[in-house]
Amino acid sequence: MNKYSNLSPIPEPPGPLDDNSEPESDLDIDLQELDPFQPRGIAHRRSAEGQARRQESRPRIPLRNLRLDGLHGLSGRRRGNTQGVSNQVAADEDSRALLDDENGSKAGSAASLGPEGDEAPLLRSGQQDQRSHNRRGTLARLGSALRFRSLVAPSPHLPTPEGLTDTDPEGEVEHDPQSNRTVAVGQLQSSRFPLNAVSNAKYTSWSFLPVTLYNEFSFFFNLYFLLVALSQIIPPLRIGYLSTYVAPLAFVLTITLGKEAYDDIARRRRDAEANAESYNVLKFETNGAFPSRSRGRAAPQRQKKLRRHRKHSQPNGEETRRLHEGESGEQDLESLEDGVPSSSYAEIKKASRDLKVGDVLKLSKDQRIPADVVILGSFLSQNVVADQATNDEDENQSSSSGEYVGSGPESQANQGSNNASIPDTAGAEAFIRTDQLDGETDWKLRLPSPLTQTLDICEYTRLQVMAGKPDKKVNDFTGTVELLPQTRAGYDPHIDKTSIGNTGNNQDSVGDQQRKAALTIDNTAWANTVLASSSTVYAVVVYTGSQTRQALSTSPSRSKTGLLEYEINSLTKILCFLTLALSFILVAAEGFDEKDGRKWYVSVMRFLILFSTIVPISLRVNLDLGKSVYAWYIQNDKGIPGTVVRTSTIPEDLGRVEYLLSDKTGTLTQNEMELKKIHVGTVSYANDAMDEVASYIRQAFGQIVSSDMGQTTLFTPSSVFTSTSNSGTRTRREIGARVRDVVLALALCHNVTPTVEAEHGERITTYQASSPDEIAIVRWTESVGLRLLHRDRKFIVLQSVESERVVVRVKILNIFPFTSDSKRMGIIVQFTQDLNSPLDESGEIWFYQKGADTVMTSIVAANDWLDEETANMAREGLRTLVVGRKRLSHEQYQEFSQQYAQASLSLHARDASMAAVVGEHLERGLELLGVTGVEDKLQRDVKPSLELLRNAGVKIWMLTGDKVETARCVAVSAKLVSRGQYIHTIAKMKRKEAALDSLDLLRNKTDACLLIDGESLALMLTCHREAFIATAVRLPAVVACRCSPTQKADVAKLIRACTQKRTCCIGDGGNDVSMIQAADVGVGIVGKEGRQASLAADFSIEQFCYLTKLLVWHGRNSYKRSAKLAQFVIHRGLIISVCQTLYSIASEFEPIALYRDWLLVGYATIYTMAPVFSLVLDRDVDPDLAALYPELYKELALNRSLSYRTFFIWVAVSIYQGCIIQGLAQLLVGLDNFPRMVAVSYTVLILNELIMVAAEVTTWHPVMIFSILGTAAIYFGSVPLLGGYFDLKYIISVAFLWRVLAISAVSLVPPYVVKLLRRTIRPPSYRKVQAL
């Protein structure tokens, strides 16, 4: 039984009170509505009958004893605990009993106050006896149920919540993409924006038929057959059945359109997979629709701190009595209202395609960013924070044992905060990988605006982001973020008190509360970048779909047509001209007089229709089916697993590539750095010699001991190196000291931050930095024995890997970050000797610096080995860094610090002034410690692959968004630049005259490699486009760095337009999509960070080395097979037209068909198609020979397989064989017996084609044998069914047999003899390599 059930209830008041009404002694209050943190799901599960009984028997209590004390506990709990856990509230026994009632007396509640606050009505008209479970906040209902003298307002109704729902419609007006935009965070937008969907499809449901039909009939022979088919509608031109001409054309179009539809549907399915990737989105609603998450999630150690804080801050007896006596009731209720957030939120899952402008995303490590976003907040991941919290509890114990477990600034900030609603500002850094966007390997640092970082997540709906119009510049952004005032009056913890006006005008107060902050590129993350740091990032979507940076930098998909198609189209025009000329000749030979009522031009048209087989419509069918066979072979090749053919219309172009444009990051390299070599002046260490470096480090840092007083002495650079080996010579000690010093310098001079994560119950240390080079160096120092244990803004702590004791602790005084202009990075540190006294102002001060050899040569002290060693490493393709140091006295540092601070305040040329101070005080006479060589790991077999492609006659260009030095090193290490080859560098060129001078120099050095940056490339393409490309295409290799995605595409288009040669572009990132789509052949590599490049490409492979087999084997075979197939199909159509011509001449130039109806259709289909099509299985060499002799691929550029020369050879053969077959048939049989003559000529024609196919085969395949023998059997088996065309009795006679054999021999033997003679005199290349 409830302890308050003996309290007498107070009758329900008849209606709302006004401001002058006197309060009764006891006010009624519903126990169900006192706990706003009870999950509403409990109330939803209760039956209606149970609700009615509880409402009837609900106890009433004196409000005087509860209203303020209970509300104070409620307010304190709301500020202190975001999860609303009732057992954490400090209140008296009565309040706790009410708020923590476990007997089911609580109803569902929410956690935010309505916008009207105190001015809400006390009771709704007609609803005094009902308790509806709607989405109004519980505190709003509480305000309508309680009656206070000064809180009553005449408001007639409560406002409707404005939260987002899944069914909310978008704005009716589409946003103008050319104007700036205002984004309401977490709310519906007033305008419509594009869908956030990726689309690589070429067609829509409306454009498919028009576009594909236009593409098909843009080829001359398709248009030619369309006109021929339409001509059969005209009675005077009709020769045979209409279906004879319409059916083949319809079949060809059906095959071609079906392939296009299949390819495009496959693209849409792949796009659907990418668009279905789910993301966590915060769904905001006003009035606390989601109370369990209305204040966000607090870190575990923060909850412990809050509980301890509330335990020590319980109100004393006097305060309790004052609250019970109601001395400041209205003030405490107002303070409760001040603590209520503007909205509540819950996490929901949304597919990438459903994301909209204004959505707030919750992103975690290694997650791809689906749209262009502005970062609102960045916090350490919970597993990292939890691990640091554990470290904090053991810090004192660890320190006493000489060990150090650092608590980063993130955890320190969390411990120092007693308000869970305000996120900590530490740990706000976030790193993103942009190699899929701009090709740069360095991680990019991103920071949220301080205005949004310190803002509670529930207040995000008060934010408004102003952004510029969509732009394709990935390194530029300008915008602002504005914090709007609360909708109710009162104290706002996110607005400075001093900014709130004290005037009586509410509008002035609202205007004073507004705050704005500028947004730059550092506050953004673009689509297709990847969150690299171990943090949780909240970001608002600003640009979606086609308006993202990446989409604007991507060229639209286009339909690609192979070069072979254009060549055959040209040959078809020649055949059509021959047909027209032959028709005129035949009509002219008879005379242009009218005959049998036909005009001469009608006779010309009939002859054209009769000779239409000269332009074979089956050519398209055979070629399209051949492409499908090639695609099947490619996708089922076990030597290149995972290869996908996405565009099956251009496999022959794989055998015609002369220019290869390749991305660097992720394509040629793995983007995984590794320190391969280190030189300390007299000794160089690499590979297995690194074990000796590790032994020196163990000796150097094994000397750290603890004194009798319990103090642990740490290492400083002035510590003496003592070898533990008895045989240690002086030289060995000196080398050991130098190795120790360079390793220490590398362990300190960087911007790397270690983070510890808990994965599967294990602690895993990961490193975060903007440069993968620095991470590689820090990992190397750990591998040799010196681990980076902790780093924050002020301190760096190093640990011995062997003893796991802290050996070095330094205080960071100044950092000079790396820039592309300075090409170096420096740091000033102060060493601490005692672990237990971190603030040692008397410690040694050292300046460490590392940088490129080009700038460090003039900074370090004179030496005789630096230039030689850096040159040696550069030849090996290593990225060199020169390391130096300098000791500073306290007086020197103070002088530098003062002048540096003054320079930083300069209004003009600030950067130059600061650099001058650094150069004067620090960068003079540095002690040279050593040189490091870092390797960007290449993809598997990149070196032999590039060498093979060069030998195959392919000119290779490397286009990358990375730095000049990086591009140079990779070009050397990948053997793109041969040893000793001259590299002509053009960088930061801004004058047109200088550009012309560089081009003149290159014209005289055609064996040089050109290295050009994006700025100079833009100048060349703008001012000297033709001259530049004409010079560059003659060079064996070109390296272009700092290229934007648009520049990559422009280069590809320019090479195509200038050279008329086939270009192949290969890449793995989203920044390569434009280049891939602009190329004749686009190849995408399935990258680590996404599949966008592979989805947009014509061919998708898994590794770069697969490209060689794709080109030199499959590409070569596809081209040679299609060339042979096309010419044989032309031969097949031309020979039957020659037979028709001879018959027309013999029949006095009458346009009468020689072979009608089924004979004509059967000849082009079942009687010859299978053997002819089996030529797609032919091959001249094995895969191993093709890779061993890449020169076989090189000769394809000479167009010997299909050219005007080979075409006219086949025309001559066709004319010869057609004349022999039809001429001898007419001579040996005669024209009088037409069925017998047709039987002889048609049978010889079929046998001639079958034997010609066999003569053309180089390597026999079982399918070829079966198709030839099977087709012969089908023909002779169908002869009895051809009684309407042949004289069947004559066919079984000996006269028929010897005539067929004699004519076939005369037709076949001479061409074959000529072929043997040509092969003997000038053997083809494949016979040479086979030694045949």
Side-chain angles (χ1 to χ4, degrees):
M1 184 174 181
N2 194 301
K3 62 183 289 187
Y4 295 104
S5 61
N6 60 341
L7 298 177
S8 59
I10 297 177
E12 196 76 37
L17 298 176
D18 57 19
D19 292 340
N20 297 326
S21 61
E22 292 293 329
E24 298 184 18
S25 59
D26 292 330
L27 298 180
D28 62 277
I29 185 169
D30 189 354
L31 299 183
Q32 181 185 1
E33 297 185 350
L34 279 180
D35 189 5
F37 298 94
Q38 171 67 31
R40 60 175 177 173
I42 298 176
H44 288 174
R45 290 193 295 266
R46 293 170 182 164
S47 64
E49 292 82 357
Q51 285 190 15
R53 288 195 300 269
R54 285 191 298 274
Q55 289 175 3
E56 293 175 0
S57 61
R58 185 172 292 125
R60 311 291 183 176
I61 60 176
L63 185 60
R64 175 181 304 157
N65 296 333
L66 284 176
R67 67 173 186 177
L68 298 175
D69 201 4
L71 291 176
H72 177 74
L74 177 63
S75 174
R77 182 175 58 178
R78 285 188 61 79
R79 293 189 179 92
N81 188 349
T82 63
Q83 301 295 331
V85 182
S86 60
N87 59 8
Q88 295 181 9
V89 179
D92 60 16
E93 182 181 1
D94 293 346
S95 299
R96 182 181 295 277
L98 287 174
L99 297 177
D100 295 336
D101 183 11
E102 298 178 355
N103 296 324
S105 62
K106 293 176 289 186
S109 58
S112 67
L113 195 60
E116 291 187 17
D118 295 341
E119 297 185 359
L122 292 177
L123 292 173
R124 282 199 171 192
S125 176
Q127 298 180 2
Q128 292 86 345
D129 297 331
Q130 298 180 3
R131 295 290 185 266
S132 61
H133 298 280
N134 53 26
R135 290 194 175 187
R136 294 184 299 126
T138 301
L139 293 180
R141 296 200 303 271
L142 181 61
S144 64
L146 299 180
R147 293 182 295 162
F148 294 105
R149 177 171 54 189
S150 61
L151 300 179
V152 180
S155 301
H157 62 284
L158 285 173
T160 302
E162 300 176 355
L164 286 172
T165 63
D166 292 338
T167 59
D168 288 332
E170 292 186 272
E172 295 296 332
V173 181
E174 187 170 353
H175 186 268
D176 181 11
Q178 298 301 320
S179 62
N180 297 337
R181 62 182 60 192
T182 301
V183 179
V185 178
Q187 303 179 32
L188 288 177
Q189 310 302 312
S190 59
S191 303
R192 288 200 311 269
F193 296 96
L195 295 176
N196 192 53
V198 176
S199 177
N200 291 297
K202 296 181 180 179
Y203 313 103
T204 65
S205 56
W206 297 101
S207 66
F208 175 73
L209 278 179
V211 174
T212 52
L213 289 178
Y214 173 80
N215 291 336
E216 288 303 307
F217 291 114
S218 63
F219 288 98
F220 176 78
F221 53 87
N222 281 346
L223 183 61
Y224 174 79
F225 275 100
L226 177 64
L227 296 176
V228 170
L230 293 177
S231 69
Q232 296 303 290
I233 301 175
I234 305 173
L237 301 179
R238 186 174 301 166
I239 294 178
Y241 295 114
L242 181 62
S243 60
T244 305
Y245 297 92
V246 174
L249 178 63
F251 180 71
V252 169
L253 293 179
T254 302
I255 293 294
T256 306
L257 268 64
K259 284 173 54 61
E260 284 291 322
Y262 177 81
D263 290 343
D264 213 52
I265 290 173
R267 293 188 193 96
R268 290 184 175 275
R269 288 176 178 172
R270 292 188 294 269
D271 291 340
E273 294 178 4
N275 293 328
E277 186 177 357
S278 63
Y279 290 87
N280 291 329
V281 178
L282 304 188
K283 180 178 178 181
F284 293 89
E285 294 201 14
T286 57
N287 295 332
F290 302 93
S292 64
R293 297 187 180 183
S294 63
R295 300 294 286 173
R297 294 181 178 179
Q301 81 280 7
R302 182 180 294 178
Q303 295 181 7
K304 297 178 183 178
K305 289 288 186 178
L306 292 172
R307 287 196 290 268
R308 289 197 296 267
H309 171 72
R310 281 192 287 272
K311 182 184 295 184
H312 296 295
S313 60
Q314 296 284 355
N316 55 31
E318 182 180 354
E319 291 174 330
T320 304
R321 287 193 299 273
R322 177 180 62 81
L323 294 176
H324 277 283
E325 291 171 2
E327 295 179 359
S328 57
E330 294 178 12
Q331 179 180 358
D332 279 287
L333 184 59
E334 182 180 354
S335 67
L336 167 64
E337 179 184 352
D338 295 336
V340 174
S342 299
S343 62
S344 58
Y345 73 91
E347 291 182 18
I348 62 174
K349 291 285 188 179
K350 266 192 178 184
S352 175
R353 61 173 173 269
D354 297 328
L355 297 178
K356 299 178 181 179
V357 172
D359 283 351
V360 177
L361 305 179
K362 181 181 179 182
L363 303 168
S364 55
K365 183 180 180 181
D366 292 331
Q367 196 167 14
R368 183 183 70 89
I369 297 174
D372 288 357
V373 300
V374 169
I375 298 176
L376 301 178
S378 176
F379 312 100
L380 282 180
S381 298
Q382 291 186 10
N383 53 354
V384 179
V385 175
D387 189 81
Q388 289 182 349
T390 305
N391 294 343
D392 293 339
E393 295 176 0
D394 302 331
E395 180 176 351
N396 294 334
Q397 181 179 357
S398 301
S399 299
S400 62
S401 63
E403 299 179 359
Y404 181 89
V405 181
S407 60
E410 296 84 357
S411 59
Q412 294 171 4
N414 291 342
Q415 295 169 4
S417 174
N418 290 327
N419 190 347
S421 65
I422 301 177
D424 50 79
T425 60
E429 301 89 350
F431 289 96
I432 61 173
R433 292 195 294 268
T434 64
D435 52 333
Q436 299 292 304
L437 180 67
D438 56 16
E440 296 190 20
T441 57
D442 293 353
W443 292 5
K444 305 296 189 303
L445 175 64
R446 292 294 184 260
L447 299 168
S449 171
L451 174 63
T452 59
Q453 174 70 14
T454 57
L455 191 66
D456 182 23
I457 297 176
C458 298
E459 304 296 332
Y460 280 174
T461 54
R462 294 170 53 194
L463 293 175
Q464 188 171 272
V465 176
M466 279 70 73
K469 64 181 181 180
D471 194 350
K472 63 182 180 181
K473 297 179 181 178
V474 296
N475 294 319
D476 185 27
F477 176 76
T478 303
T480 60
V481 59
E482 178 180 4
L483 179 63
L484 301 178
Q486 290 181 329
T487 56
R488 61 185 181 278
Y491 170 68
D492 185 353
H494 305 291
I495 300 292
D496 191 357
K497 293 182 180 181
T498 60
S499 65
I500 302 178
N502 296 323
T503 63
N505 191 339
N506 187 52
Q507 289 297 112
D508 295 339
S509 176
V510 171
D512 291 339
Q513 292 182 42
Q514 295 183 357
R515 290 181 57 185
K516 288 186 178 181
L519 296 175
T520 65
I521 187 65
D522 295 332
N523 309 121
T524 64
W526 302 140
N528 215 38
T529 59
V530 178
L531 182 62
S533 54
S534 302
S535 57
T536 299
V537 170
Y538 295 93
V540 59
V541 176
V542 180
Y543 304 103
T544 55
S546 59
Q547 295 182 350
T548 60
R549 270 6 186 220
Q550 180 181 0
L552 292 173
S553 301
T554 303
S555 304
S557 300
R558 65 182 182 93
S559 298
K560 296 182 179 181
T561 304
L563 181 60
L564 185 70
E565 302 279 356
Y566 291 110
E567 293 173 343
I568 293 176
N569 195 50
S570 301
L571 300 179
T572 306
K573 294 178 182 179
I574 297 176
L575 292 176
C576 184
F577 174 76
L578 293 176
T579 304
L580 182 61
L582 186 58
S583 301
F584 267 102
I585 292 173
L586 293 177
V587 172
E590 186 185 10
F592 290 99
D593 299 330
E594 183 176 342
K595 188 176 182 179
D596 296 335
R598 290 195 306 267
K599 299 291 185 180
W600 67 269
Y601 52 82
V602 175
S603 298
V604 172
M605 294 299 298
R606 288 175 63 88
F607 274 120
L608 280 174
I609 296 169
L610 285 174
F611 298 147
S612 61
T613 53
I614 292 180
V615 184
I617 193 171
S618 59
L619 178 59
R620 285 303 305 273
V621 178
N622 283 274
L623 290 178
D624 288 345
L625 293 178
K627 296 175 191 295
S628 300
V629 173
Y630 308 150
W632 186 89
Y633 270 115
I634 292 173
Q635 295 186 145
N636 291 275
D637 189 341
K638 296 181 180 179
I640 49 174
T643 301
V644 179
V645 179
R646 306 199 188 280
T647 304
S648 59
T649 58
I650 57 172
E652 299 90 354
D653 277 9
L654 290 171
R656 313 289 294 277
V657 171
E658 294 189 43
Y659 289 91
L660 175 64
L661 279 63
S662 174
D663 178 43
K664 179 189 73 68
T665 307
T667 303
L668 298 178
T669 68
Q670 302 179 27
N671 196 23
E672 294 181 4
M673 309 299 173
E674 182 181 3
L675 193 147
K676 303 290 289 185
K677 192 174 184 180
I678 184 170
H679 197 283
V680 295
T682 56
V683 183
S684 179
Y685 298 96
N687 301 324
D688 296 338
M690 292 299 182
D691 296 337
E692 187 175 352
V693 175
S695 66
Y696 284 131
I697 297 302
R698 286 194 298 269
Q699 296 175 20
F701 295 100
Q703 309 169 28
I704 311 302
V705 296
S706 299
S707 63
D708 297 337
M709 302 297 294
Q711 296 179 343
T712 300
T713 304
L714 301 181
F715 174 85
T716 64
S718 59
S719 301
V720 179
F721 179 85
T722 304
S723 176
T724 58
S725 175
N726 296 328
S727 60
T729 63
R730 178 179 178 182
T731 302
R732 184 173 179 83
R733 288 194 299 270
E734 291 178 352
I735 294 176
R738 294 185 66 86
V739 170
R740 176 202 64 185
D741 292 340
V742 71
V743 172
L744 178 62
L746 293 173
L748 294 176
C749 187
H750 54 73
N751 275 312
V752 180
T753 301
T755 59
V756 180
E757 299 182 13
E759 293 184 7
H760 308 293
E762 298 181 359
R763 293 177 56 186
I764 299 176
T765 301
T766 59
Y767 297 110
Q768 300 177 9
S770 62
S771 172
D773 293 49
E774 292 194 327
I775 295 179
I777 292 175
V778 171
R779 285 176 176 167
W780 177 81
T781 61
E782 180 179 2
S783 68
V784 296
L786 197 58
R787 176 187 295 135
L788 176 63
L789 179 64
H790 169 74
R791 185 207 177 108
D792 55 30
R793 299 177 187 270
K794 295 182 179 180
F795 294 98
I796 297 177
V797 178
L798 303 181
Q799 180 189 52
S800 172
V801 175
E802 183 183 22
S803 63
E804 295 189 352
R805 301 172 63 92
V806 173
V807 293
V808 176
R809 178 187 173 102
V810 299
K811 179 180 179 182
I812 301 174
L813 302 180
N814 295 90
I815 295 180
F816 312 101
F818 178 91
T819 64
S820 57
D821 294 330
S822 66
K823 299 180 182 179
R824 56 190 181 274
M825 180 263 173
I827 186 172
I828 301 178
V829 296
Q830 185 173 22
F831 284 82
T832 302
Q833 287 188 316
D834 187 2
L835 178 64
N836 298 323
S837 60
L839 300 179
D840 184 5
E841 298 299 336
S842 61
E844 301 176 14
I845 300 177
W846 288 82
F847 169 62
Y848 290 98
Q849 190 173 57
K850 65 181 180 184
D853 58 289
T854 54
V855 296
M856 292 295 292
T857 302
S858 59
I859 296 176
V860 298
N863 60 89
D864 56 356
W865 59 270
L866 178 59
D867 294 338
E868 180 181 359
E869 188 58 33
T870 54
N872 293 336
M873 290 187 181
R875 279 192 290 270
E876 297 176 16
L878 301 178
R879 304 163 72 164
T880 58
L881 285 176
V882 179
V883 185
R885 69 174 182 177
K886 182 178 183 179
R887 182 169 184 176
L888 302 176
S889 65
H890 289 268
E891 294 77 12
Q892 288 176 324
Y893 176 74
Q894 290 297 330
E895 182 181 0
F896 159 77
S897 182
Q898 293 176 2
Q899 295 190 21
Y900 191 73
Q902 293 177 359
S904 65
L905 300 176
S906 177
L907 299 179
H908 301 286
R910 177 182 302 172
D911 293 340
S913 301
M914 295 168 67
V917 174
V918 173
E920 179 182 356
H921 291 270
L922 303 179
E923 296 178 339
R924 287 188 177 181
L926 263 67
E927 178 188 355
L928 178 59
L929 297 178
V931 180
T932 64
V934 177
E935 179 189 48
D936 189 352
K937 290 184 180 179
L938 298 175
Q939 295 280 2
R940 181 169 68 92
D941 294 335
V942 163
K943 294 180 182 180
S945 298
L946 291 178
E947 184 179 1
L948 187 148
L949 291 175
R950 276 199 306 270
N951 293 334
V954 179
K955 296 182 179 180
I956 304 171
W957 291 37
M958 186 174 75
L959 310 179
T960 177
D962 221 329
K963 299 184 288 292
V964 175
E965 294 79 7
T966 305
R968 180 193 296 269
C969 292
V970 171
V972 173
S973 62
K975 304 302 181 184
L976 181 62
V977 178
S978 59
R979 182 180 296 273
Q981 184 176 2
Y982 171 69
I983 301 177
H984 183 72
T985 304
I986 302 177
K988 296 184 179 180
M989 185 170 293
K990 300 180 180 179
R991 294 188 302 108
K992 300 179 183 179
E993 298 77 8
L996 282 177
D997 295 339
S998 297
L999 291 178
D1000 292 337
L1001 180 61
L1002 277 176
R1003 290 191 185 99
N1004 299 325
K1005 293 186 177 182
T1006 55
D1007 59 341
C1009 171
L1010 172 62
L1011 176 61
I1012 186 171
D1013 66 349
E1015 181 181 357
S1016 305
L1017 180 62
L1019 178 66
M1020 292 288 188
L1021 297 180
T1022 303
C1023 303
H1024 311 291
R1025 177 182 292 260
E1026 291 77 11
F1028 168 73
I1029 200 66
T1031 304
V1033 294
R1034 295 186 297 177
L1035 301 176
V1038 176
V1039 178
C1041 48
R1042 291 296 185 187
C1043 286
S1044 66
T1046 305
Q1047 284 180 325
K1048 292 182 178 181
D1050 289 342
V1051 170
K1053 294 175 183 177
L1054 200 56
I1055 293 176
R1056 287 176 49 212
C1058 179
T1059 64
Q1060 300 299 316
K1061 304 294 184 181
R1062 298 287 96 177
T1063 61
C1064 174
C1065 293
I1066 181 171
D1068 74 316
N1071 61 314
D1072 303 318
V1073 171
S1074 293
M1075 176 180 69
I1076 288 173
Q1077 293 180 341
D1080 296 300
V1081 179
V1083 180
I1085 296 179
V1086 180
K1088 296 180 181 179
E1089 316 302 344
R1091 299 179 299 167
Q1092 189 165 0
S1094 66
L1095 291 177
D1098 305 310
F1099 301 89
S1100 173
I1101 59 178
E1102 293 185 349
Q1103 297 186 35
F1104 181 85
C1105 61
Y1106 292 172
L1107 181 66
T1108 57
K1109 190 171 187 181
L1110 189 65
L1111 295 183
V1112 301
W1113 172 243
H1114 290 289
R1116 182 176 182 274
N1117 285 341
S1118 299
Y1119 171 60
K1120 290 184 70 68
R1121 290 167 176 172
S1122 288
K1124 182 181 293 187
L1125 177 63
Q1127 294 176 113
F1128 209 97
V1129 172
I1130 291 175
H1131 159 75
R1132 185 183 62 182
L1134 190 58
I1135 191 174
I1136 195 173
S1137 298
V1138 173
C1139 294
Q1140 175 66 51
T1141 303
L1142 289 179
Y1143 176 73
S1144 298
I1145 294 173
S1147 60
E1148 299 179 353
F1149 304 103
E1150 283 290 331
I1152 302 173
L1154 173 62
Y1155 308 120
R1156 299 175 182 174
D1157 303 332
W1158 170 249
L1159 294 183
L1160 194 62
V1161 174
Y1163 174 76
T1165 55
I1166 64 172
Y1167 294 154
T1168 60
M1169 184 173 180
V1172 172
F1173 184 71
S1174 68
L1175 291 174
V1176 301
L1177 304 176
D1178 192 19
R1179 64 181 188 182
D1180 52 6
V1181 294
D1182 294 330
D1184 296 337
L1185 276 178
L1188 185 61
Y1189 297 98
E1191 292 79 9
L1192 293 174
Y1193 184 88
K1194 186 176 183 179
E1195 72 174 4
L1196 297 181
L1198 303 176
N1199 297 326
R1200 292 178 178 173
S1201 298
L1202 179 62
S1203 61
Y1204 288 115
R1205 178 176 175 273
T1206 59
F1207 168 72
F1208 284 112
I1209 289 176
W1210 277 102
V1211 169
V1213 172
S1214 302
I1215 293 175
Y1216 167 78
Q1217 291 183 334
C1219 292
I1220 294 297
I1221 292 172
Q1222 185 61 30
L1224 291 180
Q1226 293 177 176
L1227 290 174
L1228 297 178
V1229 180
L1231 295 176
D1232 297 336
N1233 198 332
F1234 183 76
R1236 292 186 176 183
M1237 186 269 294
V1238 170
V1240 171
S1241 65
Y1242 193 79
T1243 302
V1244 173
L1245 191 63
I1246 298 298
L1247 293 177
N1248 183 83
E1249 289 304 301
L1250 297 181
I1251 297 173
M1252 284 292 291
V1253 169
E1256 288 297 319
V1257 172
T1258 304
T1259 303
W1260 283 94
H1261 191 280
V1263 175
M1264 294 178 176
I1265 301 174
F1266 177 79
S1267 64
I1268 293 175
L1269 298 179
T1271 299
I1274 290 173
Y1275 171 70
F1276 288 108
S1278 66
V1279 167
L1281 305 177
L1282 302 177
Y1285 306 99
F1286 299 161
D1287 184 351
L1288 298 182
K1289 293 182 179 179
Y1290 178 72
I1291 290 178
I1292 59 176
S1293 65
V1294 176
F1296 172 80
L1297 182 60
W1298 75 261
R1299 284 176 174 82
V1300 168
L1301 294 177
I1303 296 173
S1304 299
V1306 177
S1307 171
L1308 292 168
V1309 171
Y1312 187 73
V1313 171
V1314 173
K1315 181 179 180 180
L1316 290 178
L1317 290 175
R1318 291 180 58 246
R1319 182 179 296 177
T1320 304
I1321 297 173
R1322 296 182 59 184
S1325 300
Y1326 72 88
R1327 295 183 66 84
K1328 294 178 181 178
V1329 299
Q1330 290 177 331
L1332 296 178

